[in-house]
Amino acid sequence: MALDERSAARESVGAVLVIGGGIGGMQAALDLADSGFYVYMVDKKPAIGGVMAQLDKTFPTNDCSMCIMAPKLVECGRHLNIEVITNSEVADVRGDPGDFTVRLVRHARYVDQEKCTGCGICAMHCPVGAARDRFNLGLGARPAIYIEYPQAVPLAYIIDRDTCIGCGLCETLCLAQAVKYDDVAFERELRVGAIIVATGFDAYDPTERKEYGYGRFPNVVTSMEFERILSASGPYEGRVLRPSDGDIPRRIAFIQCVGSRDRAAGNRYCSSVCCMYATKEAVIAKEHQPDVEATVFFMDMRSYGKGFEAYIERAKEEYGVRFIRTRVSDVEEDSDTQNLILSYETEEGGVVTEEFDLVVLSVGLVPPRDSERLAEALGISLDAHGFARTEHLNPLAATRPGVFVCGAMQGPKDIPETVTQASGAASAAGALLGASRGELTRTKTYPEEKDVRGIGPRIGVFVCHCGINIGGVVDVPAVAEYAKTLPNVVYAEENLYTCSQDTQRRIQEKVEEYGLTRVVVASCTPRTHEPLFQETCREAGLNYYLFQMANIRDQCSWVHMRNPKEATEKAKDLVKAACAKASLLQPLERIPIEVKQSALVIGGGLAGMVAALDIADQGFCVDLVEASPNLGGHLRKLCFTLAGDDIRTFLTELSSRVMSHPNINVHLSAEVEDIQGYVGNFKCSIKVRSTDGEVGDETELETEHGVIVVATGGREYVPTNGAFLYGRHPSVVTQAEFEKAVALGAFKNCEAEDGPVVMIQCVGSRDDERTYCSRVCCSEAVKNAIRAKKENPNRDVFILYRDVRTYGTREVYFEEARELGVVFIRYPDGEMPKVWSPAPTVREHVGMAQGIEGEANHGNPCYAKGLNGSSSSTGNQGLDYLSCHTKSETDPGLRNAFNPKDSDDDSQPGPLMVEVADTLLGEKLCIPAGLVVLSTGIVPGEGNKALAQMLKVPLDEDGFFLEAHMKLRPVDFATEGVFVAGLAHSPKTIDETIAQAHAAAGRAATVLAKGVIMAEGIKSEVLATRCTRCKLCVEVCQYNAIELDDKDDVAVVNKALCKGCGLCAATCRCGAITLRGFTEEEILAEVDALVC
Amino acid sequence: MAEQVTVDVNQAEGVLETERVQGLEQASGTCNTIEAQRVEAEQVEAEQVKVERVEVKHAVDAENAFDAEEDLGKEGAFEPVIVGFLCNWCSYAGADLAGTSRLSYPTNLRVIRVMCSGRVDPGLMLEPFLSAADGVMVLGCHPADCHYMTGNYQAEQRVLCVKALLAHLGIASGRLYLDWVSAAEGARFAELVAEFTNQVKKLGPAGCGESQEGLSREEFIRRVRVAKRVCEKEKFRWLVGRRKALLEEENVYGEKLQAGKFNDLMSFVITEECLRAAIELLAEEGPISCKEIAEVLGMPAGKVLEHTAYLKRAGLLELHDVRGQSPRYVALR
């Protein structure tokens, strides 16, 4: 973001509009609301949750989608500083960054959202039963009054005016009087400082691809439909059945790239996620139904993300999923069996037909259908594909200043990328509005807490009828009467709706009137309603934790409708157990932890610089520690982006902004020696070498920080032992070296006779040693090939590849490369092309080898212990761009590599040959190469291990830092207050690194902005006299919340880090640990009350 | 107790065999990971049983011991009491979803919500049996879904070990059940509750001559107390706590421990600790001599002496008086 833009936003509004309530919108809203901004979250649908709510499982961890997103849904719905506005659309936006006026249209809901309790009586009796269930993609039916899905937020019904016949039954049945037939659409104006667009995507409609028969053949379904079929809450309750006859399909075909990489469909881009989700669906189908034979028909397997490659391998090996590389040309139906006949060409050339029971079309991601209208309303422009236009080096900013974009609306992407961008967009908005932080957020004030110690438990019980939801089955008056007979109960009553506003007030009155010290509510589930009643208790002057709930609806009346007698007995038992536990409850303290208003950013590469700038722009101090004497890291090796941006100019500007920012302290040639402490209070020692490089001249710094961002980068893989003749033949270079030479114009003057350029992909990636895909190499090769072809169309360029992984909108560059005449030759897995020279050149090419060593060293800053990470290579034939700038004209080695005939070196090395097994021709090819370019992968930094130990955070099996959760916490660690960005996390491109760095900054801001964090009250506690210091608790705790004290005598719980899971308490050898809020005594009291 | 133990082991094995056959059948049918776990649990038990194997005198056909099927339809048939420990994030949410979806299941289950299945201490799993429960369910998040990352894995370890302990004591390990339910699996939750309720019905009322174990109420409670005491023992808890790390990761020598080796040790510890716990419990009731203990437990008095001496050294028993030629001990607890 430009400087003038920020200064223009001095008088900004401390609120942000988030458009779209999917996982991206939710993450952005939560991050903003947690860092001091008021958020309006607008969704056109009646409930938030987006596509992720419809998914069954998520790759590559097979996590249950609903399980992991439900807590976020509830949090958005309840957050004091998030207003969820559903069923609404943005009409227009006026104003400037920092102060926009947004006009919204809220469509009629016909149900009063405030009054509706979500009990569902209306839907149960609604006579309309055949409306298309959008959530289940039409595979099921729903009534005219409905909720999107059971966990919907807000949990309020809506009438579908198109199918409603207006019979009036729901109004009669609704005891909450929430039905409102005269509801009308209305307009509303909001004032916000920034806007985040997170509208996601729509699935491609495959009807127009006639050859696949979608819409004509019932057993051809889309991947989204199949996702619902797999889901336990889906139309078939998770049983794999085919729509035509309800039979279990044995042979399932997945057809990839439907509506992606497809000019005819108008979508030239790759949808990025289909290879993985199809594999996941195949795996899950096999888990549900082990005799399923799943076949995936694909063009290139694009498993480029973290952990993806291993997932595909597992699908092949463990689950026997069959992968066939081809494009299915035609799907026909056998009209008797309704099975489907697929025709496709094999790699060997013949056309084959094969029969399947079910065909799943892996449909691509397309921009939401109303995005043109929305773009117009917002005043932003769209790119050629219809996604929001952004720049490669500024991937989160839309074309209108103050408007940011994240998730699939920015281009096709998966959930972690979306969540990353969402946190990033929140950070960018926060940086714009930093001055007005906290101006519009609301905080609640409470009466002083009553001291209940010494007063015996006095319990008040409130039993809810929930309209007729509970009262229709359970004898509520009898339960209330029964409650009065229980020990310590001094008051009990029944309510029509205990959650209604007036009952809330009533509870407070009764607490006063009867001097209640504990409150028990018997109603629905604590998962949704406990926080509400806890608030009520707190407002009545009681501690949050003096509350207990009995779930007599979701787990009693609703599931025992036909057994009213037993249900009433069970309800009594549940109330009895709740009262028994309530009698033992003790007030728990939410401990305030002060947060040092400063961040430590480790690593001064692209990720570190962007994160530091964002945090600094948000108004916090940053210490940026870089091991080498220069900022820039890996980026210093690159010259231009795929889109053609000049990286060197960008880097110069970025570095100077960092160096001159008043909130950033840059420590070059410095290493972090030690880190102690926890979120809010980290203490670090930093060792700084003197800038003139003299050994022994070091200074030590002690710093304190609230948060830490790990941005230590990665390294370029360097082939060793002369593999591919690298380092032994001057005409064998890496992609980065090639890029620099091309950028310097070395390619302009060469001739076709100089021999073709042969690029070899997957050098150091996807092999036995490093099984993962390095993600960037395909795009890098395509980028450099295009550049080379444009500079010199006469010289042939070959790319030898296994799968071309130009995912997302990068696909168009792959297309461009082919149009420019770049030849792509696929070689089979495990048959790496060979490079040899007919006249053996055993002689080491001294200059080159030295250069490489220098490079290797340069790319290797060891942050923990400190190698000499300086770019010592600049003295010799280094490829560091700074030296290239000045020295390339006189650099014979490099020039020779490109134009051998110009060489003035007498000892001319021999010509190069590349031998490759061409899968298409089925034979070995020998290509005489003028230049061999190795697409070397990215390997983790060497200092990772030491740093990980220091921070007590894990590394993955490849040696990259492992985030807290692959899907929903992509830049967090399980250790609170520590974040990760860039190549330290995994290989990624420049725009992805920038987005992730913004995200780390955004997450960091949620901690820093608070000043004080309140730790939850449910915590473990160690009874020191019983502890035998066996450290079993330390081993099982995933949050590093327990360690032995200074004297190594006894385990101590760090209350700031403890999450209250109780694992330690249940594991402790000696019964020394109790979990307050769920103590042994409390649970035993429940057991005794329930069973006797 | 020698006689009793023989019968018990035999019975436990009978149960085990039936369960295992069912388990294997199901496992081969569905390749379900849970079934695989069940089989594994039973293998642990098998190891267990081997250690204490004594000459088998009574062949009890477990399937005939209590014919539940027959009784199911009858008026006033046995309705088991079942306690379920459900984790807040997945299985409790799944139970809620069963409600939202209005799926009905038997009313026998009483749910206790915990934040994580990993909170459920081995002793807590047994506590309901001391009241009037006939079955206990522990439900957590699916593997890799745990809200606290690894709580469900630890719960799994504990259930495996407690099942082995129950089997050793001649209590049907099928009364304890572990499974995973996600927030989206309302129907699955309802099915599991129904299935488990049925399974417990077949096992019969806990502590009733007609149940599969054939134990009197008094004896059943005594054994559960023993089990519960063992669950408080440091040795047992240490092995439970380390099991996963030792079997799946590395020990201090950088080796992966063989499951057989671990299970042998576990069997040994269970055997020893059960006996010690039984002695402790008797000595808590009042002064008692080794001979008397041996008589009650049906164990050789020499064996009892060995453990009594151990417990005395450990400060758990003390000498009370000497009656005739026999020193009598009381518990210090």
Side-chain angles (χ1 to χ4, degrees), chain A residues 376-398:
Chain A
E376 208 186 308
L378 292 171
I380 62 170
S381 39
L382 303 176
D383 67 13
H385 314 290
F387 298 109
R389 183 183 296 282
T390 55
E391 283 173 35
H392 197 77
L393 295 173
N394 196 0
L396 305 176

Side-chain angles (χ1 to χ4, degrees), chain A residues 203-215:
Chain A
Y204 173 74
D205 177 3
T207 323
E208 56 194 71
R209 297 307 309 261
K210 299 257 184 296
E211 69 270 34
Y212 295 137
Y214 180 77

Side-chain angles (χ1 to χ4, degrees), chain A residues 61-64 67 71 119 124 150-151 232-233 237 290 469 525-527 530 551 554-555 558-563 566 569-570 573-574 964 974 1028 1030 1032 1035-1036 1038-1039 1059-1063 1065-1070 1075 1078-1080 1083-1084 1086-1088 1090-1092, chain B residues 29-31 81 83 85 88-90 92-93 95-100 102-107 109-116 118-122 124 127-128 131-133 144-145 147-151 154 158 182-185 187 191 232-234 237-238 241-242 245:
Chain A
T61 49
N62 285 359
D63 266 313
C64 157
C67 298
C119 76
M124 199 185 292
Q151 300 86 349
S233 58
E237 293 181 340
N469 279 285
T525 171
R527 287 180 50 258
E530 192 175 50
N551 185 342
D554 301 42
Q555 297 185 11
W558 275 353
V559 289
H560 308 311
M561 283 192 215
R562 280 181 295 261
N563 305 66
E566 285 86 349
E569 287 312 306
K570 180 170 171 179
D573 282 354
L574 292 170
T1028 58
C1030 71
L1032 196 52
E1035 182 180 313
V1036 296
Q1038 297 296 303
Y1039 301 97
K1059 300 274 183 215
C1061 66
L1063 200 49
T1067 307
C1068 177
R1069 282 167 76 226
C1070 336
L1075 177 64
F1078 286 86
T1079 64
E1080 187 105 2
I1083 299 176
L1084 292 186
E1086 280 188 90
V1087 171
D1088 287 346
L1090 285 177
V1091 189
C1092 59
Chain B
T30 61
C31 265
V81 177
V83 170
F85 293 99
N88 181 61
W89 304 98
C90 294
Y92 196 91
D96 280 347
L97 183 62
T100 325
R102 308 296 196 282
L103 303 166
S104 78
Y105 53 82
T107 56
L109 176 72
R110 299 288 183 270
V111 168
I112 291 173
R113 182 175 68 117
V114 285
M115 295 313 275
C116 179
R119 168 67 187 98
V120 188
D121 190 281
L124 275 179
E127 183 70 23
S131 302
D145 282 10
H147 189 80
Y148 303 103
M149 293 184 280
T150 57
Q154 292 298 338
R158 294 193 197 119
S182 84
E185 293 175 331
E191 280 165 25
E232 291 163 12
K233 296 287 181 186
E234 291 180 3
R237 295 178 73 85
W238 174 253
R242 294 282 301 153

Side-chain angles (χ1 to χ4, degrees), chain A residues 274-511:
Chain A
C274 321
C275 285
M276 287 308 292
Y277 78 57
T279 307
K280 171 201 73 181
E281 289 183 356
V283 164
I284 303 294
K286 278 204 79 96
E287 279 186 355
H288 285 230
Q289 204 63 49
D291 58 346
V292 158
E293 291 166 14
T295 309
V296 180
F297 295 97
F298 71 104
M299 302 207 296
D300 288 287
M301 179 45 64
R302 293 190 166 169
S303 47
Y304 53 84
K306 198 173 183 178
F308 291 5
E309 195 74 33
Y311 191 83
I312 300 288
E313 284 310 308
R314 237 180 33 243
K316 283 184 200 164
E317 304 300 326
E318 268 179 48
Y319 293 90
V321 178
R322 190 164 60 123
F323 291 90
I324 296 178
R325 192 184 295 265
T326 185
R327 186 132 203 173
V328 173
S329 53
D330 187 45
V331 176
E332 285 302 328
E333 189 188 57
D334 177 331
S335 53
D336 293 335
T337 58
Q338 293 191 293
N339 287 346
L340 302 150
I341 321 288
L342 271 59
S343 316
Y344 59 90
E345 199 173 337
T346 62
E347 268 196 291
E348 292 74 41
V351 175
V352 176
T353 58
E354 196 177 337
E355 191 171 317
F356 291 90
D357 304 316
L358 183 72
V359 170
V360 181
L361 303 180
S362 293
V363 290
L365 277 47
V366 298
R369 304 200 205 289
D370 62 347
S371 40
E372 274 177 35
R373 188 204 62 76
L374 181 67
E376 208 186 308
L378 292 171
I380 62 170
S381 39
L382 303 176
D383 67 13
H385 314 290
F387 298 109
R389 183 183 296 282
T390 55
E391 283 173 35
H392 197 77
L393 295 173
N394 196 0
L396 305 176
T399 49
R400 180 173 184 174
V403 181
F404 304 94
V405 56
C406 65
M409 187 55 203
Q410 192 258 357
K413 58 180 58 67
D414 62 6
I415 293 169
E417 294 285 321
T418 297
V419 173
T420 301
Q421 285 200 338
S423 289
S427 182
L432 173 70
L433 306 175
S436 53
R437 182 192 310 281
E439 284 186 1
L440 294 177
T441 45
R442 294 182 284 188
T443 46
K444 238 178 173 173
T445 48
Y446 299 98
E448 203 182 325
E449 215 169 275
K450 289 178 188 157
D451 187 358
V452 300
R453 283 171 301 179
I455 313 168
R458 295 175 61 79
I459 304 174
V461 182
F462 299 83
V463 188
C464 182
H465 279 266
C466 194
I468 59 167
N469 279 285
I470 298 171
V473 179
V474 169
D475 185 349
V476 171
V479 174
E481 279 309 309
Y482 171 75
K484 287 179 189 164
T485 66
L486 293 169
N488 302 324
V489 173
V490 294
Y491 180 75
E493 69 168 37
E494 50 192 290
N495 317 111
L496 184 58
Y497 290 105
T498 309
C499 60
S500 67
Q501 290 281 339
D502 53 320
T503 314
Q504 300 293 298
R505 275 193 300 276
R506 208 176 146 77
I507 293 176
Q508 292 181 38
E509 287 162 19
K510 296 297 169 194
V511 169

